[in-house]
């Protein structure tokens, strides 16, 4: 965003809020729910950065889930479930209440 923008402080749900111009949101790649971290604050200017800790944590959890699923599938391939040779699946019996 090349031009300077004046940001107005307003109340939103009994909290102070700053509305950001669309160009700034686009340039920073912000979306609803993103966190901004204040790096420095002086009466003349405020420096903020996008805080990616939540996104990084979510990605780490997803990676752990994928790894655990892959480990479980590998375990099942190496240790198949013992199913008797004469076993026949009966849908009616399985769905009986």
């Amino acid at each position: 965003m090349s031009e300077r923008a004046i940001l107005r402080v307003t109340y939103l749900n009994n909290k102070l809020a700053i509305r950001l111009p669309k160009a700034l949101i686009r340039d920073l790649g912000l979306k609803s729910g993103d966190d901004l971290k204040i790096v420095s604050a002086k009466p003349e200017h405020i420096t903020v950065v996008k805080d990616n800790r939540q996104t990084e944590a979510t990605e780490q959890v997803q990676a752990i889930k994928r790894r655990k699923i892959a480990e479980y599938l590998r375990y099942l391939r190496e240790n198949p479930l013992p199913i008797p040779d004469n076993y026949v699946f009966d849908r009616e019996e399985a769905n009986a209440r």
Side-chain angles (χ1 to χ4, degrees):
M1 191 168 108
S2 60
E3 76 258 5
R4 292 180 179 247
I6 297 176
L7 306 178
R8 183 167 301 202
V9 178
T10 60
Y11 273 100
L12 181 65
N13 297 331
N14 293 328
K15 296 178 183 178
L16 286 177
I18 299 173
R19 292 185 180 206
L20 302 176
K22 188 182 282 188
L24 179 61
I25 293 169
R26 183 190 62 241
D27 291 349
L28 293 177
L30 298 176
K31 62 184 181 307
S32 180
D34 283 347
D35 293 322
L36 296 177
K37 180 179 178 183
I38 297 175
V39 176
S40 69
K42 297 179 181 173
E44 304 86 32
H45 69 277
I46 296 174
T47 305
V48 297
V49 294
K50 187 175 175 182
D51 188 358
N52 292 323
R53 289 181 298 171
Q54 182 177 1
T55 304
E56 291 167 0
T58 302
E59 289 170 357
Q60 288 174 357
V61 167
Q62 294 299 325
I64 290 169
K65 285 181 179 179
R66 285 191 299 273
R67 189 174 69 237
K68 295 234 182 243
I69 290 170
E71 289 172 3
Y72 181 66
L73 292 174
R74 189 171 27 263
Y75 172 80
L76 285 179
R77 278 194 301 275
E78 295 168 0
N79 305 293
L81 296 174
I83 299 175
D85 291 335
N86 61 352
Y87 178 79
V88 177
F89 177 76
D90 182 359
R91 184 182 308 267
E92 296 298 324
E93 179 183 338
N95 290 318
R97 293 186 182 188

